[in-house]
Amino acid sequence: MNKSTLFKNALLIDPKNEKEFVGAILIKEGIICEIFSSPDLNYSISNCDIIDCKNNVLSPGLVDMWVFVGEPGYEHIETIEDISNAAKASGITSIACRPDTNPIVDEPELVEYIKRKSIDKSEINIYPIAALTKKHCGETMTEIGSLIEAGAVGFSDVYKFNNNTNVIKNAFTYASNYDALILQHSNSDLDKYGVVNESELSMRLGLPGVPTISEAISLERELMITKYASNRYHSICISTKESYEIIERYKDQLSSVTCGISINNLKLNENDIGTYRTFFKVRPPLRSEADRSFLLENISNDIVDIITSNHDPQGTESKRLPFEEAEYGAVGIETLLSASLSLYHEGHISLPKLIKKLTYNPAKILNLDNIGSLEVGKKADLILFDKDTPWVLDADKLKTKCKNTTFENQKMQGKVLLTMVGGNIIYSTIN
Amino acid sequence: MNITKFDSSYTPQLKHLLGIDKTSQLDLEFIISKSLEWFDKNKNIPKKFDVLRGKTQINLFFEPSTRTQSSFELAGKRLGADVINMSLKQSSVTKGETLIDTAVTLNAMKPDLLIVRHHSAGAAELLSQKVDCSVINAGDGSHEHPTQAILDTLTILHHKKRIEGLKIAICGDILHSRVARSNLLMLSMLGANINLVAPTTLLPMNIDKFKVNIYNDMREGIKNVDVIMMLRLQNERMLSSYIPSAREYFRYYGLDEEKLSIAKSDAIVMHPGPMNRGVEIDTSVADNVQSVIKDQVEMGVAARMAILEILSMR
């Protein structure tokens, strides 16, 4: 069985209560056994490793809710093993993976396949999200009950816009029977041809734009249905002030509505596209500086529940194309922590609150009760990181197979020192 | 615009011609002055020069084109270049070869000038980053078509002797038109007042950020103008519900004799071609004395000769 581990002299983050304090924490048999609010204690226990955290931050491991993993079908882009290796070195101990693989995850057997493969090949926790409608065709809903039983944590048709409101209504209503989580990306047929934010810039570049109303229309429609059907609904990545205000309005009335944001939409704006740089072609598109700064200024409020990497690896060949033809997406798993920490370093959010949006909140939304929290009795999925270490991102040094990062050559802050999953240290740079 | 006199010491800064937006006014004026020289020289016989002797020019066209491609070909040949035409249309794409692969392959053949037309905005820019030679944008998606703007400017200059202070109406499918974008950048840079005339569905959002006047009523938009520039309406636009029908479009936005009479009596009528007679322009207008559409074609060769010459100087 696992040995015990004592982390002492740690800056502990309790995301649930939004608290930070210097203390120590004892791990036994893979779970958090005791939390001490004094930093250095003479604790003697047999067969116990003692790790001096030297005042670095110890928090629950990050839970990234929206990650594309290439299995099944896109193993040449990324495998479960690849994502696990990249995630553990980046402080991410749990991910929920997108269903738009090949085949699309719309059968319980496929959920089981991913779960089994994860047990074999992954050191982090991988939670599959299943499709909301079969083959993402938008016609017949999937077997939501059986999929949940197989281990699906949520349901999504990803980027597929459904014109058939009746199917949406029925799927949402049926999902509510099982208290299933619907995760949707808000886009509509208005952005069918759009590749960038619709703006003066898109006009000057001659690129078809995605109007902000596209996101708003889709969001408003699905939230109206959510209110009607009483399902749980999570908007994956909002990118505009308009969407923020819609979510705010519905949150006033419904406790079952949550939303997230991609770190890209907090750190970058449409101007980063410059002269048709395809690495910045992402979904949702990078928006205007006005939208970005609005969302950033409001990140410490409780309207946006979670921050995600929106990790979407793309091979070089699908990015070395004219902008309109290039694929959407950027890798992000290895930059989530550092890029998010910059929000804290720049004073937009407190550290516990930031960590809450990266751990406790996503776990809670996904109904994963035993992770994402620093509480006695919870699973010991923990990370130790130095929040200040500066470094510069070199795309070639990324662990992911694909290097399509939006943060190339950017100055980052914060490095993971140790990652623990279920009481086992799976990554460490300390002796 | 007073045509700046350039002495022989002027060295243009441009390496590529990717768009009007990216080119300095001085360089554009230099191109215009050189074009006017070629326009005169083209009246002589024989029309053969050796400015580009020993140089290789590749016309790389991913979209079908008759006039632009033959204009570039003729320009290159008159200057003595070895010209190769490659019309790839979609075929290279279906074979799986990417634009960059094509560029790298061509680059290995050591061309001096690469003329590219592509259906995606930014394609010329992307190519210019991957090859060693000069790249000329012959139209990239809905972005820019700089040589068209230069030849249009020359045509206007030829007939009106100035650009500054002229009232110019650009009419039709502005939204999808690279010709409109390049022309409004070029002509407003040179001091013209630009009116854009189109139904709102065919105007890009945020077009008001440019220094232009916008009219939905064509009669208002062409009142007292010196130049009417008509744009081609692509048939597929009707299918994607930008306009209800060709009949209604012609009624409100087609240029006929009656509407033309609202413009100045000596106004010139331009069209980048190919024309849809009876959709955006009435046959009688296309062929009347005010129409300078054939002059545009002639100016096109002179302008492209000047651009090829200037880019091969470096």
Side-chain angles (χ1 to χ4, degrees), chain A residues 1-6 27-30 46-49 420 422-424:
Chain A
M1 205 52 226
N2 288 319
K3 267 195 302 191
S4 302
T5 311
L6 178 76
I27 313 301
K28 254 187 187 172
E29 296 186 351
S46 60
N47 198 20
C48 179
D49 284 340
M420 171 180 269
N424 295 316

Side-chain angles (χ1 to χ4, degrees), chain A residues 166-334:
Chain A
N166 196 40
V167 171
I168 295 279
K169 187 204 82 179
N170 287 340
F172 283 21
T173 308
Y174 186 78
S176 70
N177 285 345
Y178 300 90
D179 199 26
L181 176 69
I182 309 281
L183 300 110
Q184 289 287 72
H185 184 91
S186 301
N187 55 339
S188 78
D189 52 349
L190 282 180
D191 57 35
K192 201 156 99 189
Y193 304 104
V195 293
V196 289
N197 182 43
E198 181 181 87
S199 66
E200 182 182 355
L201 182 84
S202 68
M203 193 251 310
R204 284 182 182 274
L205 291 175
L207 291 172
V210 177
T212 57
I213 57 164
S214 175
E215 190 172 301
I217 286 169
S218 165
L219 193 58
E220 187 86 60
R221 181 183 78 146
E222 298 202 339
L223 287 171
M224 275 188 178
I225 299 172
T226 294
K227 192 175 169 187
Y228 170 91
S230 311
N231 54 290
R232 288 201 296 131
Y233 184 90
H234 177 77
S235 174
I236 296 154
C237 297
I238 62 163
S239 68
T240 66
K241 180 173 184 258
E242 261 168 297
S243 300
Y244 179 95
E245 287 165 352
I246 292 170
I247 294 279
E248 189 173 33
R249 186 152 44 76
Y250 276 91
K251 276 197 162 191
D252 267 353
Q253 313 162 40
L254 303 171
S255 58
S256 61
V257 170
T258 53
C259 91
I261 191 166
S262 159
I263 187 68
N264 288 324
N265 290 97
L266 289 171
K267 294 296 294 170
L268 307 162
N269 69 25
E270 57 182 351
N271 295 316
D272 286 295
I273 290 161
T275 51
Y276 306 97
R277 293 158 76 195
T278 56
F279 278 21
F280 295 86
K281 182 177 176 181
V282 289
R283 263 188 304 210
L286 300 176
R287 296 289 188 183
S288 66
E289 177 54 19
D291 276 320
R292 185 194 79 97
S293 53
F294 175 86
L295 293 167
L296 187 58
E297 280 159 23
N298 288 286
I299 193 64
S300 65
N301 299 336
D302 290 327
I303 303 301
V304 174
D305 299 276
I306 68 116
I307 300 170
T308 172
S309 68
N310 197 10
H311 179 76
D312 193 355
Q314 296 295 342
T316 321
E317 70 286 354
S318 54
K319 283 289 187 182
R320 287 173 79 241
L321 290 169
F323 200 91
E324 284 167 73
E325 291 161 34
E327 275 297 338
Y328 295 90
V331 293
I333 204 99
E334 289 166 84

Side-chain angles (χ1 to χ4, degrees), chain B residues 14-247:
Chain B
L14 77 168
K15 179 181 177 190
H16 309 288
L17 183 67
L18 302 175
I20 300 298
D21 204 22
K22 298 217 148 194
T23 312
S24 72
Q25 181 166 349
L26 211 54
D27 278 355
L28 287 169
E29 290 183 17
F30 185 63
I31 292 171
I32 286 168
S33 77
K34 280 280 174 194
S35 303
L36 290 171
E37 287 174 24
W38 286 116
F39 179 69
D40 289 336
K41 285 183 197 165
N42 276 340
K43 289 181 177 137
N44 302 335
I45 296 174
K47 301 183 180 60
K48 189 82 178 173
F49 307 89
D50 60 0
V51 177
L52 294 186
R53 192 166 61 195
K55 306 255 181 179
T56 307
Q57 170 190 336
I58 299 180
N59 297 337
L60 184 59
F61 279 63
F62 289 89
E63 261 185 1
S65 155
T66 317
R67 59 190 68 210
T68 305
Q69 186 168 347
S70 51
S71 179
F72 268 110
E73 181 177 354
L74 199 56
K77 284 182 171 164
R78 282 194 186 165
L79 293 174
D82 297 312
V83 183
I84 295 164
N85 283 317
M86 299 183 70
S87 299
L88 294 159
K89 301 195 179 76
Q90 296 287 348
S91 72
S92 68
V93 179
T94 50
K95 279 179 200 158
E97 190 177 55
T98 66
L99 176 66
I100 293 179
D101 290 335
T102 310
V104 170
T105 308
L106 291 178
N107 195 45
M109 299 176 192
K110 305 259 180 293
D112 302 284
L113 295 150
L114 191 57
I115 289 100
V116 63
R117 168 170 289 189
H118 196 277
H119 43 84
S120 292
E125 170 90 39
L126 181 63
L127 265 185
S128 73
Q129 295 162 8
K130 308 289 170 187
V131 298
D132 305 314
C133 64
S134 289
V135 173
I136 299 171
N137 182 3
D140 61 331
S142 305
H143 180 224
E144 282 225 44
H145 189 356
T147 60
Q148 180 73 40
I150 290 164
L151 74 90
D152 286 341
T153 303
L154 278 166
T155 309
I156 298 169
L157 260 182
H158 182 68
H159 287 276
K160 298 289 172 191
K161 312 298 171 208
R162 68 190 170 106
I163 300 292
E164 201 169 351
L166 287 182
K167 283 176 80 174
I168 300 175
I170 304 178
C171 312
D173 183 1
I174 316 279
L175 177 63
H176 301 96
S177 176
R178 52 198 177 210
V179 175
R181 263 183 195 68
S182 288
N183 259 313
L184 78 87
L185 288 166
M186 175 102 185
L187 295 167
S188 58
M189 177 198 281
L190 299 177
N193 299 309
I194 310 286
N195 293 353
L196 298 181
V197 180
T200 313
T201 46
L202 292 178
L203 283 167
M205 292 292 283
N206 299 293
I207 189 77
D208 53 331
K209 301 276 161 58
F210 283 127
K211 228 182 83 189
V212 290
N213 310 303
I214 293 162
Y215 295 91
N216 298 128
D217 181 340
M218 187 167 187
R219 288 184 172 80
E220 289 290 315
I222 63 174
K223 197 180 281 175
N224 290 323
V225 298
D226 301 282
V227 177
I228 301 176
M229 195 179 277
M230 298 305 299
L231 299 170
R232 174 182 163 74
L233 182 78
Q234 282 155 3
N235 291 327
E236 62 263 31
R237 305 299 172 219
M238 269 178 277
L239 301 175
S240 21
S241 70
Y242 287 97
I243 55 162
S245 69
R247 186 172 70 167

